[in-house]
C-alpha cells in the first residue's frame, strides 16, 4: 500500500479571526476595532497547511460543519490537502483573537456543542488515518466525544505500524498518553495541569519532562517566547533546549502547530531520513513557530524565512 506522508485530525476546526483594537480593554470600555483578518484553521489543519508548504502529501480528517464547509473546502483545495472530513450538522466554530499595543487575548468557542454520537464515526476517521505513515492528532474534542478518542486512534495506528503524534490538553491529553504516542507537544500550562503541580524552575521542567517521558517516546515542551524543550525519552535520553529567535510578534495563532508540523516533517524522515533529535531539527521547529507569530491569523510563513531563522539559531548555538 502506498501511503501518504501525513494525516492530521482536527475534531474542532475553526475560522480564526484576528481583530486589531486601539487599546487593551478595561471594564465597561467600548473599543473601536481596526483591521480584521480571517483564516481557516484549527490545530490539525494549521499543521497540515505547514506540511503542505514543505511539500508533504497530507490527508486531513476530523469533523466539519456543513453550514460553513465551503471556506474550509476552498482552503483544502488551495493547499492540495486530501479532504476526508466527516460533515456534521451546524457550523464549525469561529474564534477571535484581539490584538492591541497593550497585549493580546483570544476567545476560543466550543466545537460542535450540539453534536450527537450518531453523527460521526471514529472508525471512519481511523480508516482515513491509516492511509498515511504518520498521524498528528491536535486540538480539543467536542463534548459529545468520549475522552479516550485519541487513545483509541493511537492504539489503532500502532497496531498498523504507524506513528502517532498528540497535541491536546486536559482529559483528552491525559487519556491519550495511556496509549503511548510517539511524540507529544504540551506547553507549560498543559503540562502543569496534567501533572497537578506548577512548573516554575528549570528543575521543575526537567522533572515534568521525565514524568511525561514515561508516557511518550519523545516530548516537546513549548515554553512560549522563551523557546522549547525536547526530551528524547525512548532514544538518547537527552533533554535539550532551543531558544526562540527574536521576532516581532503580531499574532500567536498557529505558532505551536507550525512548530509541531516542522518537527514532524523532519523527524519522521522526509527531510533527514532518520528519527534523530538533532540541533538542526530543533532549530527549524522553533524557527517555524516563531516565524508564524510574525503574521496575522494562522497564516504560514515562507519556508525561506523559517530556514533563515533556523540558520541564525544554529550559528548562535555554535558561538
Amino acid at each position: 500500500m502506498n501511503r501518504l506522508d501525513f494525516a492530521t485530525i482536527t475534531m474542532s476546526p475553526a475560522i480564526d479571526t484576528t481583530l486589531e483594537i486601539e487599546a487593551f480593554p478595561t471594564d465597561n470600555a467600548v473599543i473601536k476595532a481596526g483591521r480584521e483578518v480571517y483564516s481557516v484553521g484549527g490545530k490539525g489543519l494549521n499543521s497540515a497547511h505547514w506540511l503542505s508548504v514543505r511539500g508533504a502529501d497530507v490527508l486531513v480528517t476530523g469533523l466539519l460543519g456543513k453550514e460553513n464547509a465551503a471556506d474550509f473546502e476552498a482552503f483544502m483545495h488551495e493547499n492540495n490537502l486530501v479532504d476526508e472530513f466527516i460533515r456534521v450538522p451546524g457550523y464549525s466554530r469561529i474564534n477571535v483573537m484581539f490584538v492591541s499595543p497593550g497585549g493580546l487575548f483570544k476567545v476560543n468557542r466550543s466545537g460542535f456543542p450540539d453534536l450527537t454520537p450518531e453523527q460521526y464515526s471514529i472508525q471512519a476517521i481511523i480508516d482515513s488515518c491509516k492511509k498515511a505513515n504518520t498521524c498528528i492528532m491536535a486540538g480539543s474534542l467536542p463534548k459529545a466525544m468520549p475522552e479516550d478518542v485519541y487513545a483509541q486512534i493511537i492504539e489503532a495506528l500502532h497496531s498498523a505500524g504507524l506513528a502517532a503524534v498528540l497535541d491536546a490538553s486536559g482529559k483528552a491529553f491525559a487519556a491519550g498518553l495511556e496509549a503511548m504516542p510517539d511524540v507529544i507537544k504540551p506547553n507549560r500550562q498543559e503540562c502543569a495541569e496534567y501533572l497537578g503541580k506548577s512548573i516554575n524552575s528549570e528543575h521543575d521542567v526537567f522533572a515534568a519532562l521525565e514524568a511525561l517521558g514515561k508516557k511518550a517516546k519523545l516530548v516537546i515542551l513549548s515554553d512560549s517566547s522563551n523557546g522549547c524543550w525536547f526530551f528524547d525519552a525512548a532514544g538518547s535520553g537527552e533533554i535539550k533546549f532551543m531558544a526562540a529567535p527574536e521576532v516581532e510578534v503580531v499574532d500567536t495563532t498557529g505558532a505551536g502547530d507550525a512548530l509541531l508540523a516542522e518537527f514532524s516533517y523532519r523527524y519522521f524522515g522526509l527531510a533527514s531520513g532518520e528519527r534523530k533529535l538533532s540541533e538542526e531539527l530543533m532549530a527549524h521547529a522553533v524557527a517555524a513557530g516563531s516565524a508564524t507569530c510574525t503574521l496575522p491569523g494562522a497564516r504560514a510563513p515562507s519556508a525561506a524565512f523559517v530556514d533563515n531563522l533556523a540558520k541564525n539559531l544554529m550559528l548562535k548555538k555554535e558561538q
Side-chain angles (χ1 to χ4, degrees):
M1 177 181 179
N2 292 324
R3 289 191 172 91
L4 299 172
D5 301 320
F6 289 93
T8 72
I9 298 175
T10 313
M11 298 298 195
S12 299
I15 294 177
D16 288 309
T17 305
T18 300
L19 289 176
E20 291 183 355
I21 55 178
E22 57 189 10
F24 203 75
T26 57
D27 287 346
N28 299 315
V30 177
I31 298 173
K32 184 178 180 181
R35 184 174 62 153
E36 298 184 18
V37 177
Y38 301 87
S39 57
V40 168
K43 294 182 69 63
L45 272 172
N46 294 339
S47 290
H49 187 192
W50 182 246
L51 289 166
S52 72
V53 168
R54 279 303 193 191
D57 296 321
V58 190
L59 179 150
V60 289
T61 186
L63 307 181
L64 196 62
K66 293 179 181 179
E67 298 301 324
N68 57 349
D71 290 334
F72 292 88
E73 289 164 353
F75 172 83
M76 290 183 282
H77 177 75
E78 180 182 348
N79 291 286
N80 299 312
L81 304 175
V82 179
D83 174 14
E84 294 206 7
F85 272 96
I86 296 173
R87 270 58 173 179
V88 297
Y91 290 83
S92 296
R93 61 189 177 143
I94 300 175
N95 297 328
V96 185
M97 170 82 82
F98 297 88
V99 180
S100 77
L104 54 84
F105 65 97
K106 188 173 184 179
V107 178
N108 282 345
R109 291 181 169 93
S110 298
F112 306 114
D114 300 321
L115 185 73
T116 62
E118 297 77 22
Q119 294 169 340
Y120 66 90
S121 165
I122 296 301
Q123 188 57 52
I125 293 173
I126 290 173
D127 291 343
S128 291
C129 292
K130 286 182 177 180
K131 298 176 183 179
N133 291 314
T134 301
C135 177
I136 298 175
M137 289 151 275
S140 60
L141 300 174
K143 292 180 180 179
M145 281 192 165
E147 296 165 359
D148 68 345
V149 161
Y150 287 143
Q152 293 178 44
I153 297 171
I154 293 167
E155 290 172 355
L157 293 172
H158 283 171
S159 295
L162 306 174
V165 179
L166 178 63
D167 183 11
S169 60
K171 294 179 180 179
F173 177 63
L177 288 182
E178 296 307 308
M180 194 72 180
D182 295 273
V183 176
I184 59 174
K185 191 203 71 64
N187 57 34
R188 271 204 192 213
Q189 181 179 345
E190 292 163 347
C191 188
E193 181 183 354
Y194 170 72
L195 296 173
K197 60 178 71 175
S198 60
I199 302 174
N200 299 314
S201 66
E202 186 171 298
H203 178 270
D204 293 338
V205 170
F206 273 65
L209 287 168
E210 289 171 357
L212 287 172
K214 297 176 182 178
K215 298 290 187 178
K217 296 177 182 178
L218 193 145
V219 182
I220 304 170
L221 197 160
S222 57
D223 199 6
S224 187
S225 60
N226 296 319
C228 206
W229 296 87
F230 299 84
F231 178 31
D232 190 5
S236 66
E238 293 180 284
I239 294 176
K240 298 181 178 181
F241 178 75
M242 180 63 65
E246 292 186 8
V247 297
E248 183 178 351
V249 176
V250 174
D251 188 343
T252 59
T253 303
D257 309 324
L259 185 156
L260 183 59
E262 178 72 0
F263 178 91
S264 299
Y265 171 73
R266 293 177 174 275
Y267 183 74
F268 289 103
L270 295 179
S272 65
E274 59 180 331
R275 297 183 186 182
K276 183 179 179 181
L277 185 61
S278 66
E279 295 288 328
E280 181 180 6
L281 167 58
M282 294 186 296
H284 273 87
V286 171
S290 296
T292 303
C293 292
T294 66
L295 299 172
R299 297 184 177 183
S302 71
F305 181 34
V306 171
D307 292 341
N308 187 56
L309 283 178
K311 181 180 177 180
N312 291 336
L313 284 176
M314 292 292 293
L315 291 172
K316 190 173 181 180
K317 272 273 190 179
E318 293 171 0
Q319 293 174 352

